[in-house]
Amino acid sequence: MRVLIVGSGGREHALAWALARSPLLGELHAAPGNPGIGTLARLHPVPVSDLEGLTRLAAELDTDLVVIGPEAPLVAGLADRMAAAGIAAFGPSAAAAQLEGSKAFAKTVMATAGVPTARFAVCDTVSAAHAAIAEADGDVVVKADGLAAGKGVVVCSSTAEAHAAVAAALVDDRFGVAGHRVLIEERLEGEELSLLALCDGEHVMPLAPARDFKRAGDDDSGPNTGGMGSISPVPGIDADVVADIVAQVHRPVVNELARLGSPFRGCLYAGLIMTADGPRVIEFNVRFGDPETQVILPRTGGDLLALLARAAGSSLAGCEAEPAEAACVSVVVAARGYPDAPELGDPIAGVDAAEEIEGVTIFHAGTAQGEAGLQTAGGRVLNVTAVGPDFDTARRRAYAGVDAVRIAGSHHRSDIGRAAAAAERVHA
Ligand code: AMP
């Protein structure tokens, strides 16, 4: 099969890495890709925002399957364009992608389908938002309705903070039209969990549970980021819990979208908080998570290309993810100044040495090939990922990999997988 991956981050590198292992793969292409992906695929300089260019490229290459990584082109209708051109694509239609493109739409679907989620109000005006904040039982979370590149959510600890978050979206126009409508949501307590599932419009095939770490600093201190690391599996989330969440969340949502005439084909990502009253959805994504994919795929056995092709074009009936490695830990090495003002263009050294460590794979997230060699080209530069028979081993290997990498001024969290390793020791 000739496959084209759309995107340029660590998620797409992990997808390329997993697809490259498939016996079905003939040629792998990526647009625009990155230097890491370039070791596995032929790169084409078409940006993810150029829907027409991507569709033309897929047709010219006579692509058998397009795998769409990021949310923006999905919400903009890239899968629909591919379908119109007769090209199979993994990723939902624009109509189904509204699950991520509009939080208000997602809440409506969940209400109709009876999916447990945080209580909320949708507000278009400051006065309505203030009334919702006043009516809420405790603290709230203020969310921009539309796509805001992961920056549209403010978890508030006071009414003043909530009012400021509302003003940023509705008055100061911080997120453009994406923030002209906000959700005021109850602030939930509990452990977070990401449960991704492959869907063919009807069937749901859950992948390994994962957790990402969003704050910049150890012990969840510091500002929110796109994600500073991830682990899979998640302590306490066994096969029964996964089956229960799929039954309460993924299946009813897939059924409801089919009923609405927008069947969901692609990766349905449920962001959950495990409260004392059970799981509650805090967000849906309509694509693989970043950096969760980097720890899920090394733990997924079997043929990923066969599964994605089935999800896109036929049926996942009877498919199950085959378990592979026991534990996986991925640590993000971030550029100097990330997340506020990342400095780009710094040389990157030590990637080869890190990859010589047993179990370690490095996914490129924000790199570019400069004249003098590999250099930083994004805030999150590398995902140093390691598998192992347990979290202790995976974590030790991942951090040995981090130590082998040299980027001036870079930073990383030192606690990714620490709690999971401790939980494992308690159970041992
Ligand atoms: P999101 O951009 O939707 O992933 O949200 C970013 C982060 O905000 C999540 O990873 C959670 O840590 C937090 N969050 C979102 N919604 C809630 C909620 N209802 N209660 C508590 N925390 C939340």
Side-chain angles (χ1 to χ4, degrees):
M1 292 178 73
R2 209 169 284 137
V3 178
L4 169 65
I5 298 178
V6 174
S8 63
R11 164 185 50 211
E12 288 78 17
H13 189 180
L15 283 163
W17 172 86
L19 293 173
R21 298 193 299 185
S22 167
L24 296 176
L25 186 73
E27 278 177 29
L28 191 57
H29 298 264
N34 68 35
I37 299 170
T39 64
L40 303 163
R42 211 174 107 210
L43 305 185
H44 303 267
V46 184
V48 302
S49 55
D50 182 2
L51 305 195
E52 202 178 312
L54 291 167
T55 313
R56 206 178 319 119
L57 175 66
E60 278 166 14
L61 292 171
D62 196 13
T63 309
D64 296 300
L65 182 68
V66 180
V67 179
I68 304 170
E71 62 276 16
L74 289 166
V75 171
L78 183 57
D80 308 77
R81 282 181 187 245
M82 293 292 175
I87 301 161
F90 178 85
S93 66
Q98 279 304 297
L99 220 42
E100 178 166 0
S102 165
K103 294 188 192 304
F105 175 80
K107 289 290 194 184
T108 305
V109 169
M110 285 190 274
T112 315
V115 173
T117 182
R119 279 195 300 264
F120 69 101
V122 179
C123 305
D124 294 302
T125 64
V126 171
S127 59
H130 284 192
I133 292 163
E135 271 170 35
D137 241 351
D139 287 327
V140 299
V141 180
V142 177
K143 300 184 172 185
D145 178 52
L147 291 187
K151 298 188 173 68
V153 173
V154 185
V155 181
C156 305
S157 301
S158 68
T159 305
E161 227 181 307
H163 286 181
V166 166
L170 292 180
V171 182
D172 304 339
D173 215 16
R174 178 88 49 86
F175 310 110
V177 283
H180 289 175
R181 169 180 284 175
V182 296
L183 264 72
I184 307 296
E185 197 172 88
E186 71 174 317
R187 181 173 170 180
L188 299 171
E189 297 285 340
E191 300 262 21
E192 285 186 44
L193 168 67
S194 302
L195 188 62
L196 286 61
L198 303 183
C199 306
D200 63 6
E202 183 188 351
H203 303 94
V204 176
M205 193 200 100
L207 297 167
R211 174 169 293 155
D212 76 334
F213 297 83
K214 282 242 158 61
R215 300 292 187 126
D218 281 5
D219 301 312
D220 294 330
S221 61
N224 246 326
T225 72
M228 292 297 288
S230 50
I231 60 167
S232 177
V234 177
I237 307 300
D238 60 17
D240 290 342
V241 179
V242 168
D244 180 51
I245 294 170
V246 167
Q248 286 194 60
V249 176
H250 297 74
R251 253 187 249 293
V253 165
V254 165
N255 289 344
E256 174 59 12
L257 286 174
R259 197 186 65 82
L260 290 172
S262 316
F264 190 98
R265 284 185 186 273
C267 180
L268 178 57
Y269 166 134
L272 302 144
I273 292 187
M274 305 302 283
T275 74
D277 301 321
R280 297 283 181 275
V281 174
I282 53 168
E283 66 164 338
F284 282 120
N285 294 325
V286 298
R287 33 80 191 175
F288 283 99
D290 191 345
E292 289 94 333
T293 304
Q294 289 87 315
V295 288
I296 292 172
L297 294 184
R299 296 196 57 240
T300 308
D303 185 340
L304 184 71
L305 177 49
L307 290 171
L308 300 191
R310 276 167 168 269
S314 59
S315 167
L316 286 167
C319 294
E320 263 181 48
E322 291 171 33
E325 304 287 345
C328 190
V329 171
S330 185
V331 182
V332 170
V333 177
R336 187 204 319 255
Y338 179 78
D340 297 331
E343 278 187 38
L344 311 181
D346 281 323
I348 302 171
V351 171
D352 291 343
E355 287 206 297
E356 276 171 25
I357 298 165
E358 187 181 358
V360 172
T361 305
I362 296 203
F363 297 122
H364 291 221
T367 72
Q369 202 64 55
E371 269 170 28
L374 200 62
Q375 59 184 42
T376 62
R380 295 185 292 167
V381 182
L382 300 171
N383 307 133
V384 182
T385 307
V387 292
D390 50 46
F391 271 117
D392 232 2
T393 311
R395 182 174 142 72
R396 198 162 16 82
R397 290 171 173 174
Y399 278 104
V402 169
D403 287 343
V405 168
R406 297 267 172 275
I407 305 169
S410 68
H411 61 99
H412 60 269
R413 277 179 66 155
S414 66
D415 64 342
I416 307 299
R418 190 177 65 198
E424 211 169 49
R425 282 194 293 273
V426 170
H427 285 100

